[in-house]
Amino acid sequence: MDDRREHIIDLVNLEIGFRKGKGREQSLAGPVNTSACSGELIAVMGRNGSGKSTLLRTIAGLMDGLQGEIHVLSRLLAAYSRKELARIMGYVSTEVVRVPGLSVESLVALGRYPHTKWLGKLNSSDKDVIERALDLTSLQALRDRDLDELSDGERQRAMIARTLAQDTQILILDEPTAFLDLSHRYEIIDLLGNLTLDHGKTVIYSTHDLQIALQQADKIWLIHKQELLEGAPEDMVLSGRLSDALRQTDSGTKIEMDPQTGEFAVKRVLRQDISLSSGQDGLSRPDVLRAWTKKALERNGFRVTENKKIDIHVLIDTANGSPGWILEKSGRRLEFNSIYDLSLYLRTIIKKPNYQS
């Protein structure tokens, strides 16, 4: 296939890791051969210690690779001066920045340094870029606050705003959503996606937020067993590579991925059958109620079936306009107003595992 997209970054036989002195090296991944194109949002994933941060720092020129080459805009990375590189590439680390007396606006303004003359004076165009960066990261109300007065999440947004003010073609971010609450996590990744889609920027970021990456990223770079696996999120799911790489934890706990949703969950031992059915009248969301009730039943160790001959049966009752749950067991009929109350009762009747040898 003829790829006519512009390659912004090319990794050629790149091996990443650490030099430990006296000729000793610790390789984390490689050789890596891949590219990042214009207008692409790339999520770098992998277990802790797999080399995600090392890969990003190597691409950003903050540390050397062990072998191979990095080409940025068809030029060797090593050929750029620091100021030249700062005009085309911005980097946000996970390090907490605390500078007493430095305001949010002043920090964001520092992003214009590579574009100003030697006096560092900001012109009207620079100020417009700063205002846009503050707007995009929802920091206008905090512009006069000192960095050491901010929460971790607010400080992280300020660091991203500084990089946006740098107005580079390439943005590299190490765990940009690490300190953010759920709504701001989606907000930041949506912002990064818009920068790629609307402005043609190339954004590479590391993350543990699998669900957001599956929804938003154009491509995933997955570091697994010192290899870099890549593909569109959908390709990674359908091929099974994502599931294979992430299904077992270091402690041996097994997790499974739902191939339809991409959600991972601990593989549970289901010890007892229970049937589940929904009423036909009342609320217009029986499928949603059934899905969440099924999750709760499985979490409590029940294997859900529609076979009504099973001794234990749950009926989702929507006839009165609000959901209720009816449990039928051995001729008894119990009614519950919430899944929580239903779960509390089910915990008392689930078959207990036999730990005797």
Side-chain angles (χ1 to χ4, degrees):
M1 176 179 169
D2 181 17
D3 187 354
R4 299 181 183 277
R5 297 173 302 170
E6 181 186 5
H7 283 204
I8 302 299
I9 297 173
D10 289 292
L11 309 183
V12 183
N13 294 322
L14 179 66
E15 184 175 356
I16 61 170
F18 301 93
R19 289 188 170 88
K20 307 178 78 172
K22 295 184 179 180
R24 293 187 302 128
E25 295 179 345
Q26 179 183 347
S27 176
L28 294 177
V32 173
N33 290 279
T34 189
S35 299
C37 297
S38 59
E40 237 180 3
L41 178 64
I42 299 175
V44 181
M45 306 192 71
R47 297 185 180 185
N48 290 337
S50 62
K52 300 185 298 297
S53 296
T54 301
L55 176 62
L56 296 187
R57 289 177 59 83
T58 303
I59 294 174
L62 300 175
M63 61 187 298
D64 295 328
L66 302 180
Q67 301 288 338
E69 297 177 344
I70 301 173
H71 298 259
V72 178
L73 298 176
S74 301
R75 181 182 174 190
L76 273 174
L77 177 66
Y80 286 92
S81 69
R82 291 309 308 172
K83 189 159 188 175
E84 286 176 325
L85 195 60
R87 292 194 185 104
I88 60 174
M89 184 184 296
Y91 175 79
V92 178
S93 74
T94 56
E95 297 175 4
V96 176
V97 176
R98 299 184 185 279
V99 183
L102 184 67
S103 70
V104 169
E105 183 177 1
S106 297
L107 172 70
V108 176
L110 290 176
R112 298 305 300 160
Y113 164 73
H115 305 279
T116 58
K117 296 181 180 180
W118 67 275
L119 287 175
K121 187 175 181 179
L122 300 175
N123 58 31
S124 59
S125 177
D126 293 319
K127 293 176 181 178
D128 288 342
V129 173
I130 293 168
E131 289 300 317
R132 180 171 178 273
L134 290 168
D135 282 336
L136 287 172
T137 51
S138 304
L139 287 172
Q140 285 286 9
L142 301 176
R143 63 187 306 151
D144 296 323
R145 293 270 296 274
D146 287 350
L147 287 182
D148 55 2
E149 297 175 350
L150 303 182
S151 69
D152 288 339
E154 291 167 342
R155 193 177 298 109
Q156 184 74 347
R157 280 192 285 148
M159 294 301 297
I160 293 172
R162 179 193 61 79
T163 304
L164 294 179
Q166 200 171 330
D167 197 22
T168 58
Q169 187 170 356
I170 303 165
L171 281 79
I172 297 178
L173 307 98
D174 194 2
E175 292 280 0
T177 61
F179 303 111
L180 304 182
D181 57 37
L182 183 63
S183 60
H184 281 115
R185 272 184 264 165
Y186 274 95
E187 185 178 64
I188 288 298
I189 301 305
D190 185 59
L191 165 62
L192 298 178
N194 289 338
L195 291 173
T196 64
L197 190 63
D198 298 335
H199 302 279
K201 295 184 184 295
T202 299
V203 179
I204 306 173
Y205 76 103
S206 62
T207 183
H208 288 285
D209 282 321
L210 176 63
Q211 291 306 308
I212 298 180
L214 290 177
Q215 294 171 23
Q216 301 283 350
D218 297 304
K219 183 160 61 176
I220 288 177
W221 286 353
L222 174 64
I223 303 177
H224 179 57
K225 295 182 178 179
Q226 295 193 316
E227 292 185 56
L228 189 142
L229 310 175
E230 65 173 337
E234 298 80 7
D235 291 329
M236 297 290 284
V237 171
L238 292 173
S239 68
R241 288 182 293 176
L242 198 60
S243 177
D244 290 343
L246 302 177
R247 68 158 44 112
Q248 186 161 333
T249 66
D250 294 335
S251 65
T253 300
K254 293 183 178 180
I255 57 177
E256 290 182 327
M257 185 179 73
D258 184 323
Q260 292 189 344
T261 65
E263 292 182 355
F264 276 86
V266 173
K267 184 177 181 180
R268 296 186 180 276
V269 177
L270 303 180
R271 299 183 236 135
Q272 193 168 347
D273 288 340
I274 191 169
S275 66
L276 175 64
S277 60
S278 304
Q280 299 300 316
D281 300 324
L283 298 182
S284 60
R285 50 175 185 158
D287 291 343
V288 174
L289 288 170
R290 188 184 193 283
W292 284 100
T293 302
K294 183 174 182 287
K295 285 178 181 288
L297 296 178
E298 291 176 341
R299 173 166 49 81
N300 284 282
F302 287 91
R303 184 183 300 104
V304 178
T305 175
E306 294 184 5
N307 181 2
K308 294 185 179 180
K309 294 181 180 180
I310 299 297
D311 182 54
I312 310 176
H313 176 67
V314 172
L315 169 66
I316 303 172
D317 180 19
T318 60
N320 295 324
S322 60
W325 289 263
I326 300 173
L327 178 70
E328 297 174 346
K329 180 182 185 298
S330 303
R332 295 183 63 195
R333 180 183 173 94
L334 301 173
E335 297 184 7
F336 302 93
N337 294 321
S338 69
I339 291 177
Y340 177 74
D341 289 336
L342 172 66
S343 297
L344 284 181
Y345 181 79
L346 290 174
R347 287 290 181 97
T348 68
I349 64 174
I350 185 69
K351 292 178 180 177
K352 305 301 181 186
N354 184 1
Y355 294 106
Q356 295 180 353
S357 57

